[in-house]
Amino acid sequence: MSAADGDLITYRWSERSLLGRNGVGPVVTSLEPDELVRWDDRLRSLVWAAEPGRDRPARPGHVYRRFGDRAVLLRKESVRDAKGRVGSTEAHVLIAPADRLTPRAALAICATPWQEWLPPETRATRPGALPADRAQPVRLDRLLDLAESFETDALDELGQVPHRLAVRLGALLLAEPDRPLTVIGSPARGEAVVRALAQVLDGFVAHSWEFASLEETDTAAELPGLVFLDQPPPVSLHGGHGRLRVRAAAAADPPAGAAAGPEDRRVADLAERLFSLTRRLGPQILDRLRPERAAASSAEVLQLGERLLLAPGVLGNVDVLLRMAALGDLTPEESGYLTAKRFLTGIEDGLRRLPSGELAAVLRLWEQHPQAVRTFADVRTRLHTEAVARCLAAEPGGEPELRAMLAVSTPDPRAVHEALDARILPRLHQWEPRHALAVVDVLTELHADDMPTERQAVRLLAALEPETLLDAALRRVRSSPGAVRVLLQGLGPDLSRRSRNRLRAVLERSRAVPDLLTKLCADAARGEGSPADRQLLTTLLDLVLGPRADADRLRRLLAACGPTPPAALLHALLSKVDSRRGREVVRSAAADLYLFGRLSGADGRRALTHPDHPEEPPR
Amino acid sequence: MTVPGGVGLTGEVGVIDCPICVGQLHWEQAPLLTLDADGTENPLDLRTVHGDANRRRLLMHAYRRCPGNDAQPPHLLPERFPGLGTRPVTIGLVGASGTGKTHLLAAMVSRLHDATVMARMNLQVQGLDLRMHAAYLGGQVSRFIDRREELPATRIDAPVEFAVGLMVDDLVSGRSHTVVIFDVSGERLQSPDRDLAFINQLSALLCVVDPTAVLGLTGPRQGGVGGDHAFDATMDRLKNARCRPGSPLVPIPAATVVTKADLLTRRGYSEITRWLPHGLHEDLDLGTVEEESRAVYAFLASRNGKRWLGPAHECWDSTLHLASATGTSAVVTEEGARTVGRFPEASFRQRRVLRPLLTLFALTGVLDMGTARNLGRPEGAR
């Protein structure tokens, strides 16, 4: 058999089976004789179908089991045998590589009409006709495609599994993952119950999800871990071989009641929360909770529970809770968890563990549902703090999703300060000094350029040489003017002679000096400039014009500023220039500006008002 | 003290051979327990029970747990199983799938509970394990005899255990015996499964021949001449387990029953006419078993059935019988959600079904009759 094929065996009553025996045995197969003998040893105790009950219509049962790297799926049905006797069986067995015939694939195949894909040789022949005993293997890819098309029907059936039954069985599987379980009298078909259990618990608990969906008894040695009986098993001297038998009707009782021990109650609580969460938000939500390795013992399940139960009645992780909060779908316990101050540290820890993509998705959800999250302002700040911190710590161009989301949502200033103080500034020494420039760029991108305090800016940029900062400011003055102020704050108030010389060299190389001055003046004109800013402007003018501010330099500077140099610049120049010629140059430019404003209709007078005292004309 | 027909209260049983896994079980050391309605095991501590009457009442519903072995999972044995002071008798029904073993056994058990019949034989019969016996009577016997319903085929996956457990008191001898009867599917009897070790320890065989499987007996082109693989496999196991090298005979009795004998009537088989089903009463005269055996042997030997005579040849004591458990074929009908095979009321009857079992009772000492002394043996061996 190739990996692309599935082998087949059909069992039914005959006077002489392929193994030479009378009765129910293999009559058609795609296997070679020696393989058939091997598989028959494993399968013959599994092929017998349950007899239809008095009130239950006949329906096929399915068995899924794995044997090493092979998996088998049996479909068996109670039939009349060749002698007309009722209560015999016909079973078709599909044998395939276990990595292809997975539990999920098996459940999907259960839902297909088998007669459509089984080769015609497997069908019962008319009495007297010569039966064929060889069948072609089944093409697995075609079968799995067919199964997929029937999966929707199977999923619809999940609604028939009572919640209480699913929770009860889930709790039992979590409590004893290895213990075989027999479910008696399930109102939903066994296949649907297995699917419901696996959909929720797979990945949380290490279970093979091998099943027998409809049996008459549960004592056969080869039966899988999950067995479903319509009726209690016949009275026997053999127990269930260590199986736990659960009557579905009794599953309506409170799970692991008050008499149960604390561990049982914790496991029952975990099961209840997992199934309730799935019912509320769909199975995909559990993908966010599944551990890296499924719990293989009750002790590991308890550990898992401790990790997943954040507080009494609160299952999940920060990711899940924040998503539910955005959707307005929280229980009172969950809402209380998000609003209680004492859990904020835990929430911060949870946020730190979230992959950036998930964090961005949560940010997006919270932006889309502002009403729902208004209650959780503290959590929103933590969310933004985490996002900002990651963006600031990233390499240039990193965290594009988060940056895009924060650019839209405008981070809370408290979040930016917190991110800088707690997450970035303490780590500066770990990075290249130029990383600080990237931090500034990100802050600018997030429209947070005015948020770092001067103290923060100074600390952030302390490791950079003044000329580096000035160069960076000049390079960004057109593309990212918001960054300029922060960068220049990093220059500090006192510059050494050496620094001044270097800065001057930078200014002489740059063509963006007028832009920089214009920007600083414009800030000042808008009233945004602090005394420190004005001091900075003065310092820069010192550097640009030289200590004596000669008239030629003044002319070149004003010419570079175009026909409308900022009035604030003219003001600054007037206060700086001592020489007569120099002052004339500035006044001439002011007059030109005034006339230009008059002639063009612009309010030249207003343009010439003092930046700090708008009602006062420049003198 | 051993209570006749009851429970040994003080008598030491000691080590017994488990009839299911054939392992040796120290009875008093095996865990004693009871089962609740769900089949959950509860330990039973007799030291906390006061009075013989109370103990006896509890022990009627008590079991010992046998640990089983690598081929047979742990299982229970009724507390009363070894407690009658005699060696328990284990009988195995043998025959291929579809021969009618299950119907024949249900018919036999039904007859065993006919007080009139049992009074004629001076026997008293009750169930060994009340829970299992009630289930058998309410399920198999009532379904078959009262509702005339065809019983489903015995499942391959049914646990290996006795289908019927009886306590048989012989009022003449005053002795009581535990009798357990295994009814394993024909498919399984033919398989090499290791969990069929019970066969090695059987006290007697009840071999069932389906006449439709023998070429020409019930139709011109019906059946074959190859015999019954279940007979062959069972005899092979027994010979391996019980025969000394060079010994030709298996030291247990076998009753070979050609069942569905109603199908043989009006076919001109003169050699068996006397033994074909007729009359209203069960033929309880074991004094004619030898004659019947000779007739049935000749019938099979001369009419393509030689290969079915293996047990008759190879067992130390052997008899042959004709019987009919149903008297007719089932008619399949759809009843509600299920398909049911039901026997027509007019022709549904059980004939000569008890005689083979009584014969085995006699051959195993359960039934103490003067006539039993020479039953089933060739004349030269008497």
Side-chain angles (χ1 to χ4, degrees), chain B residues 122-123 169-177 365-369:
Chain B
N122 285 313
L123 291 176
D169 301 334
D170 182 342
L171 301 181
V172 175
S173 68
R175 292 198 303 167
S176 299
H177 281 82
V366 175
L367 180 60
D368 187 19
M369 294 176 63

Side-chain angles (χ1 to χ4, degrees), chain A residues 519-537:
Chain A
K519 149 77 181 155
L520 292 176
C521 292
D523 287 350
R526 281 200 302 271
E528 294 172 2
S530 64
D533 293 337
R534 287 199 294 279
Q535 171 63 39
L536 180 65
L537 181 60

Side-chain angles (χ1 to χ4, degrees), chain A residues 363-428:
Chain A
L363 267 175
R364 188 176 300 112
L365 262 181
W366 278 49
E367 287 311 310
Q368 288 167 351
H369 302 86
Q371 298 292 332
V373 297
R374 198 159 290 154
T375 323
F376 311 110
D378 284 341
V379 175
R380 184 175 188 271
T381 301
R382 263 69 179 179
L383 178 59
H384 279 180
T385 301
E386 180 60 32
V388 170
R390 287 193 199 190
C391 292
L392 298 183
E395 292 293 317
E399 302 290 3
E401 271 188 279
L402 278 180
R403 288 205 326 271
M405 276 315 304
L406 285 173
V408 172
S409 61
T410 310
D412 180 346
R414 285 183 303 162
V416 177
H417 292 151
E418 176 68 18
L420 279 169
D421 283 338
R423 305 280 294 278
I424 302 301
L425 296 178
R427 292 173 61 195
L428 275 179

Side-chain angles (χ1 to χ4, degrees), chain B residues 268-289:
Chain B
Y269 300 138
S270 56
E271 65 271 37
I272 55 168
T273 304
R274 181 183 163 194
W275 314 106
L276 286 172
H278 50 71
L280 292 174
H281 298 292
E282 192 69 53
D283 184 353
L284 299 176
D285 180 7
L286 299 189
T288 59
V289 166

Side-chain angles (χ1 to χ4, degrees), chain A residues 13 22 24 44 49 51 83, chain B residues 97 143 155 187 193 210:
Chain A
W13 196 95
N22 122 302
V24 172
R44 65 172 169 268
E51 198 189 357
K83 290 189 163 186
Chain B
S97 168
R143 186 174 176 179
R155 304 171 62 87
E187 291 91 342
D193 289 353
D210 177 0

Side-chain angles (χ1 to χ4, degrees), chain A residues 13 16 20-24 44-45 48-49 51 53-54 57 80 83 85-86 219 235-238 241 247, chain B residues 38 72-73 76 96-97 131-132 143 150 153 155-157 159-162 187 190 192-193 210 229 338:
Chain A
W13 196 95
R16 195 173 181 83
R21 302 173 193 148
N22 122 302
V24 172
R44 65 172 169 268
S45 68
W48 213 277
E51 198 189 357
R54 195 165 292 279
R80 291 164 56 193
K83 290 189 163 186
R85 186 172 51 160
V86 297
T219 52
V235 172
S236 167
L237 293 172
H238 286 72
H241 300 185
R247 286 175 189 262
Chain B
D38 283 340
Q72 189 66 253
L76 306 179
S97 168
R131 188 179 68 109
M132 275 190 75
R143 186 174 176 179
E150 186 184 30
R155 304 171 62 87
I156 296 175
D157 59 353
V160 175
E161 61 192 27
F162 45 84
E187 291 91 342
Q190 299 169 70
D193 289 353
D210 177 0
H229 295 313
R338 45 178 212 146

